[in-house]
mmCIF file of all heavy atoms in Angstrom:
data_model
loop_
_atom_site.group_PDB
_atom_site.id
_atom_site.type_symbol
_atom_site.label_atom_id
_atom_site.label_comp_id
_atom_site.label_asym_id
_atom_site.label_seq_id
_atom_site.Cartn_x
_atom_site.Cartn_y
_atom_site.Cartn_z
ATOM 1 N N TRP A 1480 -19.418 55.133 -198.990
ATOM 2 C CA TRP A 1480 -19.611 56.581 -198.876
ATOM 3 C C TRP A 1480 -18.308 57.328 -199.143
ATOM 4 O O TRP A 1480 -18.285 58.375 -199.786
ATOM 5 C CB TRP A 1480 -20.098 56.940 -197.467
ATOM 6 C CG TRP A 1480 -21.378 56.324 -197.045
ATOM 7 C CD1 TRP A 1480 -21.549 55.120 -196.429
ATOM 8 C CD2 TRP A 1480 -22.699 56.855 -197.191
ATOM 9 N NE1 TRP A 1480 -22.874 54.877 -196.184
ATOM 10 C CE2 TRP A 1480 -23.605 55.942 -196.633
ATOM 11 C CE3 TRP A 1480 -23.187 58.050 -197.730
ATOM 12 C CZ2 TRP A 1480 -24.979 56.158 -196.605
ATOM 13 C CZ3 TRP A 1480 -24.561 58.267 -197.695
ATOM 14 C CH2 TRP A 1480 -25.435 57.333 -197.149
ATOM 15 N N ASN A 1481 -17.196 56.789 -198.626
ATOM 16 C CA ASN A 1481 -15.917 57.491 -198.715
ATOM 17 C C ASN A 1481 -15.373 57.568 -200.135
ATOM 18 O O ASN A 1481 -14.505 58.375 -200.433
ATOM 19 C CB ASN A 1481 -14.877 56.830 -197.811
ATOM 20 C CG ASN A 1481 -15.213 57.003 -196.347
ATOM 21 O OD1 ASN A 1481 -16.093 56.315 -195.842
ATOM 22 N ND2 ASN A 1481 -14.553 57.916 -195.674
ATOM 23 N N LYS A 1482 -15.882 56.702 -201.016
ATOM 24 C CA LYS A 1482 -15.454 56.770 -202.409
ATOM 25 C C LYS A 1482 -16.052 58.000 -203.087
ATOM 26 O O LYS A 1482 -15.573 58.446 -204.114
ATOM 27 C CB LYS A 1482 -15.903 55.506 -203.159
ATOM 28 C CG LYS A 1482 -15.224 54.228 -202.684
ATOM 29 C CD LYS A 1482 -15.728 53.027 -203.468
ATOM 30 C CE LYS A 1482 -15.079 51.745 -202.975
ATOM 31 N NZ LYS A 1482 -15.599 50.558 -203.712
ATOM 32 N N TYR A 1483 -17.116 58.526 -202.499
ATOM 33 C CA TYR A 1483 -17.827 59.645 -203.106
ATOM 34 C C TYR A 1483 -17.600 60.963 -202.389
ATOM 35 O O TYR A 1483 -17.706 62.024 -202.995
ATOM 36 C CB TYR A 1483 -19.332 59.351 -203.144
ATOM 37 C CG TYR A 1483 -19.696 58.232 -204.079
ATOM 38 C CD1 TYR A 1483 -19.859 56.933 -203.603
ATOM 39 C CD2 TYR A 1483 -19.880 58.462 -205.442
ATOM 40 C CE1 TYR A 1483 -20.196 55.896 -204.473
ATOM 41 C CE2 TYR A 1483 -20.211 57.440 -206.299
ATOM 42 C CZ TYR A 1483 -20.372 56.158 -205.812
ATOM 43 O OH TYR A 1483 -20.692 55.131 -206.658
ATOM 44 N N PHE A 1484 -17.324 60.883 -201.076
ATOM 45 C CA PHE A 1484 -17.182 62.138 -200.341
ATOM 46 C C PHE A 1484 -16.321 61.961 -199.102
ATOM 47 O O PHE A 1484 -16.376 60.929 -198.430
ATOM 48 C CB PHE A 1484 -18.556 62.691 -199.928
ATOM 49 C CG PHE A 1484 -18.568 64.174 -199.765
ATOM 50 C CD1 PHE A 1484 -18.660 64.998 -200.869
ATOM 51 C CD2 PHE A 1484 -18.443 64.748 -198.530
ATOM 52 C CE1 PHE A 1484 -18.643 66.372 -200.745
ATOM 53 C CE2 PHE A 1484 -18.411 66.123 -198.378
ATOM 54 C CZ PHE A 1484 -18.518 66.936 -199.496
ATOM 55 N N ASP A 1485 -15.534 62.987 -198.811
ATOM 56 C CA ASP A 1485 -14.578 62.936 -197.704
ATOM 57 C C ASP A 1485 -15.269 63.188 -196.366
ATOM 58 O O ASP A 1485 -16.028 64.148 -196.210
ATOM 59 C CB ASP A 1485 -13.496 63.997 -197.942
ATOM 60 C CG ASP A 1485 -12.478 64.046 -196.829
ATOM 61 O OD1 ASP A 1485 -11.676 63.095 -196.727
ATOM 62 O OD2 ASP A 1485 -12.495 65.039 -196.074
ATOM 63 N N ASP A 1486 -14.995 62.330 -195.377
ATOM 64 C CA ASP A 1486 -15.612 62.465 -194.054
ATOM 65 C C ASP A 1486 -15.256 63.788 -193.386
ATOM 66 O O ASP A 1486 -16.085 64.408 -192.719
ATOM 67 C CB ASP A 1486 -15.162 61.312 -193.136
ATOM 68 C CG ASP A 1486 -15.921 60.024 -193.433
ATOM 69 O OD1 ASP A 1486 -16.942 60.091 -194.130
ATOM 70 O OD2 ASP A 1486 -15.488 58.961 -192.952
ATOM 71 N N GLY A 1487 -14.004 64.210 -193.550
ATOM 72 C CA GLY A 1487 -13.562 65.444 -192.905
ATOM 73 C C GLY A 1487 -14.351 66.651 -193.373
ATOM 74 O O GLY A 1487 -14.765 67.501 -192.565
ATOM 75 N N VAL A 1488 -14.600 66.739 -194.679
ATOM 76 C CA VAL A 1488 -15.386 67.853 -195.222
ATOM 77 C C VAL A 1488 -16.837 67.730 -194.765
ATOM 78 O O VAL A 1488 -17.461 68.715 -194.381
ATOM 79 C CB VAL A 1488 -15.317 67.873 -196.760
ATOM 80 C CG1 VAL A 1488 -16.201 68.993 -197.320
ATOM 81 C CG2 VAL A 1488 -13.874 68.062 -197.229
ATOM 82 N N PHE A 1489 -17.361 66.498 -194.775
ATOM 83 C CA PHE A 1489 -18.746 66.290 -194.369
ATOM 84 C C PHE A 1489 -18.983 66.767 -192.939
ATOM 85 O O PHE A 1489 -19.950 67.485 -192.657
ATOM 86 C CB PHE A 1489 -19.127 64.815 -194.491
ATOM 87 C CG PHE A 1489 -20.513 64.517 -194.000
ATOM 88 C CD1 PHE A 1489 -21.611 64.773 -194.795
ATOM 89 C CD2 PHE A 1489 -20.710 63.997 -192.730
ATOM 90 C CE1 PHE A 1489 -22.900 64.514 -194.336
ATOM 91 C CE2 PHE A 1489 -21.993 63.740 -192.259
ATOM 92 C CZ PHE A 1489 -23.093 63.994 -193.074
ATOM 93 N N TYR A 1490 -18.100 66.381 -192.011
ATOM 94 C CA TYR A 1490 -18.321 66.756 -190.615
ATOM 95 C C TYR A 1490 -18.015 68.227 -190.353
ATOM 96 O O TYR A 1490 -18.544 68.811 -189.411
ATOM 97 C CB TYR A 1490 -17.525 65.834 -189.682
ATOM 98 C CG TYR A 1490 -18.181 64.476 -189.578
ATOM 99 C CD1 TYR A 1490 -17.584 63.338 -190.084
ATOM 100 C CD2 TYR A 1490 -19.440 64.346 -188.996
ATOM 101 C CE1 TYR A 1490 -18.210 62.101 -190.009
ATOM 102 C CE2 TYR A 1490 -20.076 63.118 -188.913
ATOM 103 C CZ TYR A 1490 -19.460 62.000 -189.428
ATOM 104 O OH TYR A 1490 -20.089 60.790 -189.364
ATOM 105 N N SER A 1491 -17.197 68.836 -191.204
ATOM 106 C CA SER A 1491 -17.024 70.290 -191.115
ATOM 107 C C SER A 1491 -18.326 70.987 -191.501
ATOM 108 O O SER A 1491 -18.727 71.978 -190.887
ATOM 109 C CB SER A 1491 -15.891 70.756 -192.036
ATOM 110 O OG SER A 1491 -14.643 70.306 -191.569
ATOM 111 N N CYS A 1492 -18.984 70.435 -192.521
ATOM 112 C CA CYS A 1492 -20.301 70.969 -192.914
ATOM 113 C C CYS A 1492 -21.297 70.778 -191.779
ATOM 114 O O CYS A 1492 -22.088 71.677 -191.468
ATOM 115 C CB CYS A 1492 -20.808 70.246 -194.164
ATOM 116 S SG CYS A 1492 -19.943 70.649 -195.693
ATOM 117 N N TYR A 1493 -21.245 69.611 -191.167
ATOM 118 C CA TYR A 1493 -22.178 69.304 -190.075
ATOM 119 C C TYR A 1493 -22.032 70.323 -188.943
ATOM 120 O O TYR A 1493 -23.021 70.766 -188.367
ATOM 121 C CB TYR A 1493 -21.893 67.897 -189.560
ATOM 122 C CG TYR A 1493 -22.865 67.407 -188.518
ATOM 123 C CD1 TYR A 1493 -24.099 66.875 -188.880
ATOM 124 C CD2 TYR A 1493 -22.563 67.487 -187.172
ATOM 125 C CE1 TYR A 1493 -24.994 66.432 -187.926
ATOM 126 C CE2 TYR A 1493 -23.447 67.052 -186.201
ATOM 127 C CZ TYR A 1493 -24.670 66.519 -186.585
ATOM 128 O OH TYR A 1493 -25.551 66.098 -185.637
ATOM 129 N N ALA A 1494 -20.795 70.702 -188.636
ATOM 130 C CA ALA A 1494 -20.561 71.656 -187.542
ATOM 131 C C ALA A 1494 -21.186 73.016 -187.831
ATOM 132 O O ALA A 1494 -21.590 73.739 -186.910
ATOM 133 C CB ALA A 1494 -19.060 71.815 -187.298
ATOM 134 N N LEU A 1495 -21.303 73.365 -189.117
ATOM 135 C CA LEU A 1495 -21.839 74.673 -189.492
ATOM 136 C C LEU A 1495 -23.329 74.823 -189.206
ATOM 137 O O LEU A 1495 -23.836 75.943 -189.149
ATOM 138 C CB LEU A 1495 -21.590 74.929 -190.981
ATOM 139 C CG LEU A 1495 -20.147 75.246 -191.387
ATOM 140 C CD1 LEU A 1495 -20.044 75.345 -192.902
ATOM 141 C CD2 LEU A 1495 -19.685 76.544 -190.742
ATOM 142 N N ILE A 1496 -24.044 73.726 -189.028
ATOM 143 C CA ILE A 1496 -25.485 73.836 -188.794
ATOM 144 C C ILE A 1496 -25.781 74.543 -187.474
ATOM 145 O O ILE A 1496 -26.871 75.060 -187.268
ATOM 146 C CB ILE A 1496 -26.185 72.460 -188.824
ATOM 147 C CG1 ILE A 1496 -25.774 71.607 -187.619
ATOM 148 C CG2 ILE A 1496 -25.917 71.756 -190.125
ATOM 149 C CD1 ILE A 1496 -26.541 70.305 -187.517
ATOM 150 N N TYR A 1497 -24.784 74.572 -186.571
ATOM 151 C CA TYR A 1497 -24.976 75.219 -185.271
ATOM 152 C C TYR A 1497 -24.647 76.715 -185.320
ATOM 153 O O TYR A 1497 -24.945 77.444 -184.376
ATOM 154 C CB TYR A 1497 -24.105 74.545 -184.209
ATOM 155 C CG TYR A 1497 -24.435 73.086 -184.030
ATOM 156 C CD1 TYR A 1497 -23.646 72.100 -184.600
ATOM 157 C CD2 TYR A 1497 -25.558 72.684 -183.308
ATOM 158 C CE1 TYR A 1497 -23.952 70.752 -184.449
ATOM 159 C CE2 TYR A 1497 -25.868 71.343 -183.147
ATOM 160 C CZ TYR A 1497 -25.066 70.384 -183.724
ATOM 161 O OH TYR A 1497 -25.371 69.058 -183.581
ATOM 162 N N ARG A 1498 -24.038 77.161 -186.427
ATOM 163 C CA ARG A 1498 -23.602 78.552 -186.497
ATOM 164 C C ARG A 1498 -24.250 79.350 -187.628
ATOM 165 O O ARG A 1498 -24.135 80.567 -187.658
ATOM 166 C CB ARG A 1498 -22.072 78.605 -186.666
ATOM 167 C CG ARG A 1498 -21.292 77.929 -185.560
ATOM 168 C CD ARG A 1498 -19.831 78.360 -185.562
ATOM 169 N NE ARG A 1498 -19.139 78.026 -186.788
ATOM 170 C CZ ARG A 1498 -18.486 76.890 -186.983
ATOM 171 N NH1 ARG A 1498 -18.459 75.960 -186.034
ATOM 172 N NH2 ARG A 1498 -17.860 76.652 -188.113
ATOM 173 N N ASN A 1499 -24.891 78.643 -188.544
ATOM 174 C CA ASN A 1499 -25.419 79.310 -189.730
ATOM 175 C C ASN A 1499 -26.833 78.802 -190.002
ATOM 176 O O ASN A 1499 -27.023 77.660 -190.422
ATOM 177 C CB ASN A 1499 -24.493 79.025 -190.930
ATOM 178 C CG ASN A 1499 -24.882 79.808 -192.166
ATOM 179 O OD1 ASN A 1499 -26.039 79.862 -192.533
ATOM 180 N ND2 ASN A 1499 -23.890 80.385 -192.827
ATOM 181 N N ALA A 1500 -27.834 79.652 -189.777
ATOM 182 C CA ALA A 1500 -29.234 79.241 -189.896
ATOM 183 C C ALA A 1500 -29.588 78.807 -191.317
ATOM 184 O O ALA A 1500 -30.296 77.812 -191.516
ATOM 185 C CB ALA A 1500 -30.147 80.385 -189.458
ATOM 186 N N ASP A 1501 -29.108 79.551 -192.325
ATOM 187 C CA ASP A 1501 -29.409 79.195 -193.712
ATOM 188 C C ASP A 1501 -28.783 77.854 -194.071
ATOM 189 O O ASP A 1501 -29.397 77.026 -194.759
ATOM 190 C CB ASP A 1501 -28.902 80.273 -194.671
ATOM 191 C CG ASP A 1501 -29.734 81.543 -194.595
ATOM 192 O OD1 ASP A 1501 -30.888 81.449 -194.136
ATOM 193 O OD2 ASP A 1501 -29.228 82.603 -194.994
ATOM 194 N N PHE A 1502 -27.548 77.653 -193.618
ATOM 195 C CA PHE A 1502 -26.877 76.386 -193.905
ATOM 196 C C PHE A 1502 -27.573 75.245 -193.177
ATOM 197 O O PHE A 1502 -27.666 74.128 -193.684
ATOM 198 C CB PHE A 1502 -25.403 76.456 -193.484
ATOM 199 C CG PHE A 1502 -24.612 75.268 -193.942
ATOM 200 C CD1 PHE A 1502 -24.137 75.192 -195.241
ATOM 201 C CD2 PHE A 1502 -24.344 74.213 -193.082
ATOM 202 C CE1 PHE A 1502 -23.414 74.089 -195.671
ATOM 203 C CE2 PHE A 1502 -23.628 73.110 -193.504
ATOM 204 C CZ PHE A 1502 -23.157 73.050 -194.808
ATOM 205 N N ASN A 1503 -28.066 75.519 -191.979
ATOM 206 C CA ASN A 1503 -28.806 74.518 -191.212
ATOM 207 C C ASN A 1503 -29.982 74.000 -192.038
ATOM 208 O O ASN A 1503 -30.190 72.787 -192.138
ATOM 209 C CB ASN A 1503 -29.306 75.140 -189.902
ATOM 210 C CG ASN A 1503 -30.018 74.135 -189.006
ATOM 211 O OD1 ASN A 1503 -30.970 73.495 -189.409
ATOM 212 N ND2 ASN A 1503 -29.556 74.026 -187.775
ATOM 213 N N LYS A 1504 -30.730 74.903 -192.634
ATOM 214 C CA LYS A 1504 -31.885 74.504 -193.441
ATOM 215 C C LYS A 1504 -31.443 73.704 -194.666
ATOM 216 O O LYS A 1504 -32.043 72.678 -195.013
ATOM 217 C CB LYS A 1504 -32.678 75.728 -193.889
ATOM 218 C CG LYS A 1504 -33.938 75.373 -194.673
ATOM 219 C CD LYS A 1504 -34.671 76.609 -195.140
ATOM 220 C CE LYS A 1504 -35.964 76.211 -195.881
ATOM 221 N NZ LYS A 1504 -35.730 75.257 -196.976
ATOM 222 N N SER A 1505 -30.380 74.163 -195.321
ATOM 223 C CA SER A 1505 -29.877 73.487 -196.505
ATOM 224 C C SER A 1505 -29.418 72.066 -196.166
ATOM 225 O O SER A 1505 -29.703 71.110 -196.888
ATOM 226 C CB SER A 1505 -28.717 74.288 -197.107
ATOM 227 O OG SER A 1505 -28.157 73.614 -198.210
ATOM 228 N N PHE A 1506 -28.733 71.933 -195.038
ATOM 229 C CA PHE A 1506 -28.219 70.630 -194.620
ATOM 230 C C PHE A 1506 -29.379 69.711 -194.228
ATOM 231 O O PHE A 1506 -29.363 68.511 -194.539
ATOM 232 C CB PHE A 1506 -27.263 70.804 -193.435
ATOM 233 C CG PHE A 1506 -26.337 69.649 -193.212
ATOM 234 C CD1 PHE A 1506 -25.192 69.500 -193.980
ATOM 235 C CD2 PHE A 1506 -26.603 68.708 -192.235
ATOM 236 C CE1 PHE A 1506 -24.329 68.439 -193.771
ATOM 237 C CE2 PHE A 1506 -25.746 67.643 -192.022
ATOM 238 C CZ PHE A 1506 -24.606 67.503 -192.786
ATOM 239 N N LYS A 1507 -30.378 70.273 -193.580
ATOM 240 C CA LYS A 1507 -31.549 69.473 -193.190
ATOM 241 C C LYS A 1507 -32.287 68.974 -194.429
ATOM 242 O O LYS A 1507 -32.736 67.820 -194.479
ATOM 243 C CB LYS A 1507 -32.486 70.299 -192.318
ATOM 244 C CG LYS A 1507 -33.676 69.507 -191.794
ATOM 245 C CD LYS A 1507 -34.566 70.351 -190.893
ATOM 246 C CE LYS A 1507 -35.740 69.528 -190.379
ATOM 247 N NZ LYS A 1507 -36.649 70.338 -189.526
ATOM 248 N N ASP A 1508 -32.428 69.845 -195.436
ATOM 249 C CA ASP A 1508 -33.081 69.441 -196.687
ATOM 250 C C ASP A 1508 -32.333 68.280 -197.332
ATOM 251 O O ASP A 1508 -32.951 67.346 -197.872
ATOM 252 C CB ASP A 1508 -33.146 70.614 -197.666
ATOM 253 C CG ASP A 1508 -34.134 71.684 -197.227
ATOM 254 O OD1 ASP A 1508 -34.975 71.390 -196.353
ATOM 255 O OD2 ASP A 1508 -34.044 72.813 -197.747
ATOM 256 N N TYR A 1509 -31.005 68.349 -197.285
ATOM 257 C CA TYR A 1509 -30.172 67.283 -197.842
ATOM 258 C C TYR A 1509 -30.413 65.965 -197.106
ATOM 259 O O TYR A 1509 -30.628 64.912 -197.714
ATOM 260 C CB TYR A 1509 -28.702 67.703 -197.779
ATOM 261 C CG TYR A 1509 -27.735 66.616 -197.415
ATOM 262 C CD1 TYR A 1509 -27.437 65.588 -198.302
ATOM 263 C CD2 TYR A 1509 -27.109 66.610 -196.170
ATOM 264 C CE1 TYR A 1509 -26.556 64.578 -197.954
ATOM 265 C CE2 TYR A 1509 -26.235 65.614 -195.817
ATOM 266 C CZ TYR A 1509 -25.961 64.600 -196.713
ATOM 267 O OH TYR A 1509 -25.100 63.611 -196.350
ATOM 268 N N LEU A 1510 -30.430 66.020 -195.770
ATOM 269 C CA LEU A 1510 -30.653 64.808 -194.975
ATOM 270 C C LEU A 1510 -32.048 64.235 -195.209
ATOM 271 O O LEU A 1510 -32.221 63.019 -195.297
ATOM 272 C CB LEU A 1510 -30.454 65.110 -193.485
ATOM 273 C CG LEU A 1510 -29.011 65.370 -193.034
ATOM 274 C CD1 LEU A 1510 -28.990 65.761 -191.559
ATOM 275 C CD2 LEU A 1510 -28.129 64.149 -193.268
ATOM 276 N N GLU A 1511 -33.031 65.124 -195.332
ATOM 277 C CA GLU A 1511 -34.391 64.650 -195.562
ATOM 278 C C GLU A 1511 -34.530 63.969 -196.919
ATOM 279 O O GLU A 1511 -35.337 63.046 -197.080
ATOM 280 C CB GLU A 1511 -35.372 65.815 -195.435
ATOM 281 C CG GLU A 1511 -35.568 66.266 -193.986
ATOM 282 C CD GLU A 1511 -36.544 67.420 -193.842
ATOM 283 O OE1 GLU A 1511 -36.889 68.036 -194.876
ATOM 284 O OE2 GLU A 1511 -36.957 67.706 -192.696
ATOM 285 N N SER A 1512 -33.738 64.392 -197.884
ATOM 286 C CA SER A 1512 -33.741 63.721 -199.193
ATOM 287 C C SER A 1512 -33.243 62.289 -199.057
ATOM 288 O O SER A 1512 -33.801 61.364 -199.663
ATOM 289 C CB SER A 1512 -32.867 64.488 -200.186
ATOM 290 O OG SER A 1512 -33.388 65.761 -200.460
ATOM 291 N N LEU A 1513 -32.190 62.096 -198.272
ATOM 292 C CA LEU A 1513 -31.674 60.741 -198.039
ATOM 293 C C LEU A 1513 -32.685 59.898 -197.279
ATOM 294 O O LEU A 1513 -32.896 58.723 -197.588
ATOM 295 C CB LEU A 1513 -30.357 60.802 -197.264
ATOM 296 C CG LEU A 1513 -29.150 61.397 -197.987
ATOM 297 C CD1 LEU A 1513 -27.916 61.307 -197.106
ATOM 298 C CD2 LEU A 1513 -28.882 60.671 -199.299
ATOM 299 N N HIS A 1514 -33.318 60.495 -196.276
ATOM 300 C CA HIS A 1514 -34.351 59.789 -195.526
ATOM 301 C C HIS A 1514 -35.469 59.341 -196.466
ATOM 302 O O HIS A 1514 -36.010 58.240 -196.314
ATOM 303 C CB HIS A 1514 -34.928 60.692 -194.436
ATOM 304 C CG HIS A 1514 -34.005 60.905 -193.281
ATOM 305 N ND1 HIS A 1514 -34.459 61.144 -192.001
ATOM 306 C CD2 HIS A 1514 -32.658 60.907 -193.192
ATOM 307 C CE1 HIS A 1514 -33.434 61.285 -191.188
ATOM 308 N NE2 HIS A 1514 -32.331 61.158 -191.895
ATOM 309 N N GLY A 1515 -35.801 60.211 -197.416
ATOM 310 C CA GLY A 1515 -36.876 59.897 -198.353
ATOM 311 C C GLY A 1515 -36.577 58.673 -199.187
ATOM 312 O O GLY A 1515 -37.473 57.872 -199.471
ATOM 313 N N VAL A 1516 -35.305 58.511 -199.586
ATOM 314 C CA VAL A 1516 -34.924 57.337 -200.376
ATOM 315 C C VAL A 1516 -35.087 56.062 -199.546
ATOM 316 O O VAL A 1516 -35.656 55.071 -200.011
ATOM 317 C CB VAL A 1516 -33.474 57.454 -200.892
ATOM 318 C CG1 VAL A 1516 -33.057 56.161 -201.590
ATOM 319 C CG2 VAL A 1516 -33.343 58.629 -201.844
ATOM 320 N N LEU A 1517 -34.595 56.080 -198.311
ATOM 321 C CA LEU A 1517 -34.732 54.908 -197.449
ATOM 322 C C LEU A 1517 -36.207 54.601 -197.198
ATOM 323 O O LEU A 1517 -36.628 53.443 -197.244
ATOM 324 C CB LEU A 1517 -34.009 55.126 -196.117
ATOM 325 C CG LEU A 1517 -34.199 54.012 -195.071
ATOM 326 C CD1 LEU A 1517 -33.733 52.671 -195.613
ATOM 327 C CD2 LEU A 1517 -33.462 54.355 -193.783
ATOM 328 N N ARG A 1518 -36.985 55.644 -196.932
ATOM 329 C CA ARG A 1518 -38.418 55.452 -196.688
ATOM 330 C C ARG A 1518 -39.088 54.782 -197.889
ATOM 331 O O ARG A 1518 -39.901 53.864 -197.742
ATOM 332 C CB ARG A 1518 -39.064 56.815 -196.409
ATOM 333 C CG ARG A 1518 -40.482 56.734 -195.888
ATOM 334 C CD ARG A 1518 -41.043 58.119 -195.602
ATOM 335 N NE ARG A 1518 -40.242 58.811 -194.596
ATOM 336 C CZ ARG A 1518 -39.494 59.883 -194.836
ATOM 337 N NH1 ARG A 1518 -39.425 60.389 -196.059
ATOM 338 N NH2 ARG A 1518 -38.800 60.454 -193.879
ATOM 339 N N GLN A 1519 -38.702 55.220 -199.095
ATOM 340 C CA GLN A 1519 -39.261 54.631 -200.305
ATOM 341 C C GLN A 1519 -38.870 53.156 -200.428
ATOM 342 O O GLN A 1519 -39.708 52.316 -200.784
ATOM 343 C CB GLN A 1519 -38.753 55.396 -201.531
ATOM 344 C CG GLN A 1519 -39.226 54.810 -202.857
ATOM 345 C CD GLN A 1519 -38.562 55.482 -204.052
ATOM 346 O OE1 GLN A 1519 -37.935 56.528 -203.929
ATOM 347 N NE2 GLN A 1519 -38.689 54.865 -205.208
ATOM 348 N N LYS A 1520 -37.614 52.832 -200.117
ATOM 349 C CA LYS A 1520 -37.151 51.449 -200.193
ATOM 350 C C LYS A 1520 -37.924 50.556 -199.217
ATOM 351 O O LYS A 1520 -38.309 49.428 -199.547
ATOM 352 C CB LYS A 1520 -35.653 51.365 -199.885
ATOM 353 C CG LYS A 1520 -34.751 52.095 -200.858
ATOM 354 C CD LYS A 1520 -34.749 51.446 -202.221
ATOM 355 C CE LYS A 1520 -33.734 52.124 -203.144
ATOM 356 N NZ LYS A 1520 -33.789 51.575 -204.520
#
């Protein structure tokens, strides 16, 4: 994962879900996409 994306930036994004409703939805959509790949596998 770290070869593709920095943990520090990722967790800063994660913190925003508690303060920004629109970002919360965007972040949830992103996570659900990853869940979908695992579910398919």
Side-chain angles (χ1 to χ4, degrees):
W1480 300 89
N1481 292 77
K1482 294 180 181 178
Y1483 292 96
F1484 207 80
D1485 179 71
D1486 281 346
V1488 177
F1489 176 80
Y1490 285 113
S1491 291
C1492 288
Y1493 185 82
L1495 287 175
I1496 69 174
Y1497 300 101
R1498 301 197 299 269
N1499 186 313
D1501 288 339
F1502 189 81
N1503 183 304
K1504 183 182 182 306
S1505 176
F1506 199 80
K1507 184 178 180 182
D1508 289 344
Y1509 141 71
L1510 289 176
E1511 287 180 347
S1512 295
L1513 292 183
H1514 287 209
V1516 174
L1517 174 58
R1518 191 179 300 112
Q1519 177 187 347
K1520 297 292 185 184

